[in-house]
Amino acid sequence: MLDRYLAALADYAVGKGLIEKEDRTWAVNSLLQVLNLQEYQEPEEALDLPLEDILGYLTDFAVKRGLIEGDITSRDLLDTKLMGVLTPRPSWVIDRFQRLAAQDKRAATDWYYAFSQDTDYIRRYRIVKDVKWVAPTEYGDLDITINLSKPEKDPKAIAAAKLAPQSGYPKCQLCRENEGYAGRMNHPARGNHRIIPITIDSSPWFLQYSPYVYYNEHCIVFNSRHTPMKIDRAAFRKLLDFVVQFPHYFVGSNADLPIVGGSILSHDHFQGGRYTFAMEKAPVEASVTFPGFEDVEAGLVKWPMSVIRLRCADDGRLVDLAEKILAAWRGYTDESAFVFAETDGEPHNTITPIARKRDGKYELDLVLRNNITTAEHPLGVYHPHAELHHIKKENIGLIEVMGLAVLPARLKGELAKLGEVLVSGGDPAADEALAKHAPWAAELREKYTFTAETVEGILRDEVGRVFAKVLEHAGVFKRDEAGRAAFLRFTASVR
């Protein structure tokens, strides 16, 4: 039976164009080596199974033989090693991409995205487990995702990771040295990972896709050097250079300060893709003019966070104006609006920028950020406040800023359980896992009558409203008359 699965994996690789028919015997022998086997008999009948089932059988075999432990991390290390021997070398991947890109950039990214899934670097069968829906709000339809595709380590794997020798190679999970890396208990395997070199603002960078794909063609653009995130003129130039080269993609950067930045501040990188977020659809609700840049359309966006949208056919003009706005914001203080450029020498103001090309013009959305903390809000004044932590406590990074909530896996079970309690008339506070939702549930009971047929839809819509509040909390200038006046005071200060 084992031979049939080995043959099926080799046949899969041939069918997906990862190897040629002439490579098949070599591929089978390479798989035998990974599994520490010396014998093989070509099966008379081929198996036609999903990749997940093939790899699952082979990793089960390895567990039974004592080759690996049975935890998810050990299985991932092994099945990535199996796929790694079937994944073409980087030079072949780069050549294929560049040949396609010379004719059609979209065709090149289409191929590379499909390739990244075919190699199992992007695990399709895990991505489909994510729970996704769209929630209507006053800011448009927000995307809500409960992330289930990133596997949670079991206690045994966590203990093994803690005992594993610490290593400085690769320096982080974005470094180019991850390409082909076998991985270890505390660092993911990347034997089937391939990256594409690109040049932006005359600097060597790389393009890859996120293995977790929070939205369509979720790509990562990262510096060839392990250097910290920095929002400056060069960052704006790089973002727009990328859009010039790949106009069918948007690209944005997390901010460069803790709390308002992303999860990896140590390595300069952007995120992009082919997806239209709610923020992009949001209209400009108040036009503004910046002296000397009358040729640039500018305005405040109808969005829960504080967004200035710049638009011009000349991308260079956007870079010049964005640099001015950033410089003004870095040093801007307005005590009446609780905006402080720094306290005790610690800087607070930065920007989350997003670039795109739309209707023949370049756009740059500049989202004003501030990471000040207080005794009342120790995680951040412009961060989800404590009353929202039952849904979202984590930092609000680029993806959330644009209108896509990435919510913790715990919510899948908690929301289902809460729905049952709301329908039955039970007390959420009596359940340890649901107690944090009890105040929210009490509010909902005043608004709705719950039935088994309606409870899921109501909870999903209400989670969307909570996420809209999360973004409002992250907004520096509030969406009231005083907040609008404060926002306009800032734009008027840009000279």
Side-chain angles (χ1 to χ4, degrees):
M1 181 62 76
L2 176 66
D3 291 345
R4 297 185 71 190
Y5 281 86
L6 291 169
L9 187 53
D11 290 340
Y12 168 88
V14 172
K16 293 297 184 182
L18 303 179
I19 62 174
E20 300 296 331
K21 285 189 293 184
E22 293 79 5
D23 300 322
R24 190 179 178 283
T25 299
W26 162 84
V28 169
N29 286 332
S30 299
L31 296 172
L32 290 174
Q33 184 177 11
V34 172
L35 295 171
N36 198 24
L37 298 170
Q38 285 78 43
E39 300 291 333
Y40 173 79
Q41 180 68 45
E42 184 65 35
E44 294 182 6
E45 291 186 24
L47 279 176
D48 184 15
L49 291 173
L51 180 61
E52 179 184 16
D53 293 350
I54 298 170
L55 293 174
Y57 182 92
L58 295 176
T59 53
D60 284 346
F61 167 82
V63 171
K64 291 173 185 173
R65 284 282 295 264
L67 299 176
I68 61 170
E69 297 293 327
D71 60 88
I72 186 67
T73 303
S74 298
R75 287 173 178 272
D76 282 0
L77 290 171
L78 178 64
D79 67 19
T80 301
K81 191 171 185 179
L82 291 168
M83 291 306 300
V85 303
L86 303 173
T87 301
R89 290 190 177 189
S91 56
W92 183 91
V93 177
I94 293 167
D95 180 69
R96 178 71 182 272
F97 181 90
Q98 291 178 342
R99 284 174 182 270
L100 289 168
Q103 303 297 320
D104 183 347
K105 291 290 179 60
R106 184 173 295 192
T109 56
D110 283 350
W111 171 81
Y112 181 44
Y113 187 55
F115 171 84
S116 299
Q117 295 172 77
D118 292 341
T119 62
D120 208 38
Y121 166 69
I122 297 173
R123 296 174 184 257
R124 291 184 178 102
Y125 45 87
R126 286 189 183 162
I127 303 301
V128 298
K129 295 178 181 177
D130 287 346
V131 180
K132 299 181 179 183
W133 70 90
V134 173
T137 73
E138 63 179 292
Y139 306 108
D141 291 341
L142 301 182
D143 293 305
I144 312 296
T145 298
I146 297 177
N147 176 37
L148 303 174
S149 57
K150 186 183 286 189
E152 296 186 19
K153 294 183 177 181
D154 61 32
K156 199 171 183 179
I158 293 171
K162 188 177 289 187
L163 294 173
Q166 296 302 304
S167 169
Y169 182 87
K171 289 181 180 177
C172 77
Q173 291 187 26
L174 286 178
C175 284
R176 62 181 299 181
E177 288 81 11
N178 283 280
E179 184 178 44
Y181 186 63
R184 52 185 190 268
M185 291 302 292
N186 55 7
H187 192 101
R190 292 291 181 253
N192 53 353
H193 180 39
R194 300 293 180 262
I195 59 179
I196 303 295
I198 61 173
T199 300
I200 49 177
D201 193 28
S202 304
S203 300
W205 281 51
F206 289 96
L207 170 68
Q208 67 173 59
Y209 288 103
S210 165
Y212 306 115
V213 194
Y214 292 132
Y215 52 85
N216 186 49
E217 296 182 46
H218 178 183
C219 69
I220 299 173
V221 186
F222 63 101
N223 201 317
S224 62
R225 296 184 299 115
H226 182 77
T227 188
M229 299 279 292
K230 187 176 183 183
I231 301 298
D232 56 8
R233 178 186 176 88
F236 300 137
R237 182 64 272 166
K238 289 181 176 74
L239 289 169
L240 284 159
D241 266 7
F242 181 84
V243 172
V244 168
Q245 293 181 49
F246 300 94
H248 57 296
Y249 276 6
F250 82 89
V251 68
S253 175
N254 271 303
D256 54 357
L257 293 178
I259 296 176
V260 296
S263 58
I264 302 179
L265 292 176
S266 61
H267 196 129
D268 200 11
H269 71 285
F270 308 142
Q271 295 181 79
R274 196 192 309 184
Y275 191 72
T276 303
F277 287 87
M279 192 175 82
E280 180 180 340
K281 299 174 188 176
V284 168
E285 60 182 354
S287 295
V288 294
T289 301
F290 294 98
F293 291 89
E294 289 77 11
D295 57 321
V296 177
E297 301 170 42
L300 313 185
V301 179
K302 184 184 178 183
W303 194 245
M305 299 182 70
S306 305
V307 185
I308 300 171
R309 177 167 295 160
L310 309 180
R311 182 171 163 81
C312 188
D314 182 349
D315 56 295
R317 294 289 285 164
L318 295 187
V319 173
D320 292 341
L321 179 51
E323 182 184 26
K324 275 187 172 293
I325 294 171
L326 175 65
W329 180 241
R330 291 278 196 199
Y332 189 76
T333 291
D334 182 345
E335 293 187 16
S336 66
F338 206 79
V339 174
F340 296 89
E342 58 88 21
T343 54
D344 300 325
E346 179 187 351
H348 295 305
N349 290 347
T350 185
I351 281 176
T352 299
I354 301 104
R356 67 182 74 89
K357 190 173 186 180
R358 180 161 55 166
D359 299 330
K361 291 186 177 181
Y362 294 98
E363 285 185 358
L364 200 55
D365 283 351
L366 304 177
V367 187
L368 306 182
R369 311 299 302 275
N370 180 289
N371 74 345
I372 194 168
T373 60
T374 63
E376 183 183 2
H377 301 296
L379 297 182
V381 172
Y382 304 109
H383 177 90
H385 294 174
E387 67 268 23
L388 305 182
H389 288 179
H390 65 107
I391 297 294
K392 179 71 174 177
K393 184 179 181 179
E394 298 78 15
N395 289 354
I396 303 306
L398 172 68
I399 295 172
E400 286 90 358
V401 164
M402 294 185 292
L404 191 158
V406 181
L407 302 180
R410 64 174 172 81
L411 281 175
K412 181 182 179 183
E414 289 176 8
L415 290 176
K417 205 170 183 181
L418 181 61
E420 293 173 4
V421 171
L422 289 170
V423 171
S424 67
D427 181 11
D431 187 307
E432 184 178 356
L434 300 184
K436 57 182 167 292
H437 298 295
W440 182 52
E443 293 176 15
L444 297 183
R445 277 181 163 149
E446 292 182 3
K447 292 174 62 177
Y448 302 102
T449 298
F450 292 97
T451 68
E453 292 73 31
T454 64
V455 66
E456 181 180 67
I458 291 171
L459 285 177
R460 287 188 170 196
D461 284 350
E462 289 296 331
V463 166
R465 292 187 180 94
V466 171
F467 180 54
K469 279 194 174 69
V470 163
L471 296 181
E472 288 175 349
H473 286 186
V476 177
F477 297 117
K478 299 311 172 187
R479 291 195 52 79
D480 54 23
E481 192 173 328
R484 170 59 59 83
F487 201 166
L488 291 174
R489 283 199 299 276
F490 167 66
T491 59
S493 75
V494 179
R495 290 286 183 269

